Every structure is written in structure tokens, then in C-alpha cells.
Amino acid sequence: MAETGGMPELPEVESVRRQLAPRLEARRIEHVTAVWQSRFVDVERAAGRRVGRLRRRGKYLIAELDGGLELLMHLGMTGSFRFRGPQWQPDAYVRATFTLNDAVLDFRDVRRFGSLAVVPAGQYTGTLAALGPEPLSDDFDPAAFHRALQSTSMAVKPYLLSQRPVAGVGNIYADEALWRARISPFARRIGRRRATLLWAAIREVLAEAIEREGTTFRDYQMVNGESGRNAAYLTAYGQAGLPCGRCGDPLRKVTLGGRGTTYCPRCQRP
DNA sequence: AGATCGGCCTGGACGC
DNA sequence: TGCGTCCAGGCCGATC
């Protein structure tokens, strides 16, 4: 079975942010070259502007620019940032290049699912505009999370992937958190007690993955070119057919909401 | 208006 | 060996 994942979710994007911030903040973007691509919007407007803080919201990186603008960056499936140097020279998959006053930064993205946009600060649309609370902040409240889960008829996993109940959870960490909370990905309108278990599991799996600088199967890499160390700790995602770490029954892979989903049919209850 | 589904995009794994 | 098919999936727009 092909496991091409390792897509950037919250822990991977946060790891990128931590490496990118000290080399991007307080720099001036001299100019931008972008190979045409439908997911870039007004990227050239970043030229000539100074970068303020580099923040993260969910899976998005947000660089404050002077003039009341923001540069929004999403890594998609295969996006990465690399600074030119002995360790990195551009290849055919570089989709945009930011020439800073003291460095050259490439945005590389084999599958072109990533996006870049310059927008007036705070003027968001789509997923970013409807994004749920940051899971590792106090804004992520168990009671509100329970109410959100009660408010929809969707199965819990596709609902998590919508980014509305909580920001930054993608396919890997949805499977991991549901396994840890012993909740079936097919469960609907789950009760207060189990909602709180899932709330805690989401925070745990994300915090642990950040400590390990993310999950790399193949594509995801950090700004320094290194891989994350979390793949060895996965308990569900990518483990189909292997014994469940709790009960020993084989983990099953199904399609749910169009996404590969691995879970334990025995100890994850609907 | 909320839920669902197809399209985007490419390289790698796999089968014959 | 080589070619065709399938798979990975976040987000968005169209449709129900």
C-alpha cells in the first residue's frame, strides 16, 4: 500500500513556523517571482514590504506585512520552504521565490496543492474565515467543543477535517486522536464525556507531534531539510492490518468522506 | 443553509 | 521493461 502522506497539519506547520520565523521576521521582501499557478493570489504585492510577525492559524502561516497586508501561506500536501545555500539549490518544483534583503527563500511544492495570497490584514475567506479555535490555546474549550459536535449530523471524523470545530487537525491526527479517545470515526453527535476525551486526545497528539517536529513519511520536510520524528509513534494512521496497540485486533482501513481512515473496529466505539 | 461530491495535481507503487 | 491504473488528500466550488 502506498503511503505518500506526511502532509503538513498543525504540528508540521508549527515546526516550519519555528524555523522560518527567525529568518523571515524583520526582513524586507525585495521581490517575488511566482511561476504561474492558480492557487497564488496577489503574491507580487508582497514585494517591497517588510515582514513583521510570522503567526500560524491552523495549517496556515500568516506573515504580517507593512501597509496593513498579510501574506497567507498554506503548504497543501507537499509544500515546503527552503533557503538557498549549500544545503539547498532550487529544482523544477520551486513555485515561488522570495528575495529577502539578506537571503533567498524558495517555496517548493511538487503537487501544487499549496497556496500563497497577499490580502488586507484579517480579510479571510473560505476555510480560514470559518476556522475553529486553536487546539492548544485556551480558546479550545471542552464544553464548546461538545456543543459543536452536537450541532452537526456529520460523522465525527469528516467534521474534524472541516476545520470548523477545531483548527489544524488533518487526516493523520484525526485518526490518531480518535484512536486514543476510543471513538469510532463514524460516530455522530457524541456525548459530553466522550467529547471531553476527544478534546484531550486532540491536544495530546498535537502537542506530542510538535515536540517531535511533525510526522514525515516522505514529502514533509522542515526549513532545514530535516524530517519530523513522529512517524515512529503513530498508533493508527498508516497502520492498517497491524495489531491495535490496545486490543491486538487488526486495524482496518476504510474510506470515509473520501479520505482514507484507519481505526480499530473493536475498541473504537460508534 | 448545511452536507456531499468531484476536481485539482503529481510521483510512486503496483499489476500485467 | 514499459505502460496503464490507482492512490495519497486539503480545500474549493458546484450541486443536492
Side-chain angles (χ1 to χ4, degrees):
Chain A
M1 174 180 308
E3 288 297 349
T4 58
M7 53 301 218
E9 305 180 27
L10 187 149
E12 292 74 34
V13 177
E14 177 60 21
S15 299
V16 169
R17 191 199 65 79
R18 291 178 182 185
Q19 292 194 344
L20 200 52
R23 299 183 66 179
L24 187 58
E25 291 178 344
R27 268 52 168 206
R28 179 184 162 84
I29 299 174
E30 304 287 0
H31 63 96
V32 184
T33 56
V35 175
W36 180 89
Q37 117 56 321
S38 59
R39 289 178 166 89
F40 291 171
V41 178
D42 291 339
V43 179
E44 63 285 351
R45 292 186 71 191
R49 299 182 190 276
R50 190 171 183 277
V51 181
R53 218 155 61 90
L54 179 65
R55 299 183 290 123
R56 180 193 54 72
R57 267 291 276 143
K59 304 172 193 173
Y60 292 84
L61 291 170
I62 304 175
E64 297 173 357
L65 303 177
D66 55 18
L69 300 180
E70 287 176 340
L71 171 62
L72 310 180
M73 297 164 275
H74 195 293
L75 300 176
M77 300 295 299
T78 55
S80 63
F81 285 100
R82 299 298 305 272
F83 284 96
R84 300 266 176 99
Q87 308 295 320
W88 167 252
Q89 287 299 313
D91 63 11
Y93 304 112
V94 170
R95 311 301 184 193
T97 299
F98 298 87
T99 303
L100 310 178
N101 56 292
D102 64 348
V104 176
L105 177 64
D106 287 320
F107 178 65
R108 181 179 189 266
D109 185 11
V110 172
R111 278 154 71 179
R112 302 178 195 250
F113 271 43
S115 60
L116 300 173
V118 173
V119 302
Q123 282 195 17
Y124 307 143
T125 60
T127 299
L128 188 52
L131 201 58
E134 278 299 310
L136 299 177
S137 80
D138 292 340
D139 295 338
F140 188 40
D141 173 67
F145 183 58
H146 175 236
R147 285 194 298 275
L149 293 174
Q150 290 284 312
S151 74
T152 181
S153 62
M154 293 174 71
V156 61
K157 184 183 172 185
Y159 187 48
L160 289 175
L161 296 184
S162 78
Q163 308 298 298
R164 297 197 300 269
V166 61
V169 177
N171 209 34
I172 295 175
Y173 300 107
D175 279 3
E176 291 300 303
L178 289 166
W179 183 88
R180 191 171 297 206
R182 307 188 188 208
I183 294 169
S184 165
F186 296 93
R188 294 171 196 266
R189 299 191 196 278
I190 62 180
R192 168 181 281 279
R193 197 186 73 82
R194 297 205 307 157
T196 303
L197 288 175
L198 182 56
W199 170 85
I202 289 168
R203 291 168 67 105
E204 288 169 14
V205 298
L206 295 177
E208 291 169 13
I210 289 173
E211 285 179 29
R212 299 174 187 135
E213 297 181 291
T215 300
T216 299
F217 283 106
R218 190 187 66 235
D219 296 314
Y220 162 67
Q221 61 174 10
M222 285 178 282
V223 178
N224 64 7
E226 292 180 4
S227 294
R229 303 181 303 279
N230 195 60
Y233 297 88
L234 296 177
T235 57
Y237 182 89
Q239 313 297 304
L242 297 174
C244 170
R246 269 190 306 258
C247 74
D249 273 18
L251 296 168
R252 179 182 299 167
K253 184 167 183 180
V254 298
T255 298
L256 173 56
R259 298 291 168 261
T261 297
T262 305
Y263 71 111
C264 176
R266 182 172 175 188
C267 59
Q268 289 179 246
R269 310 255 175 74

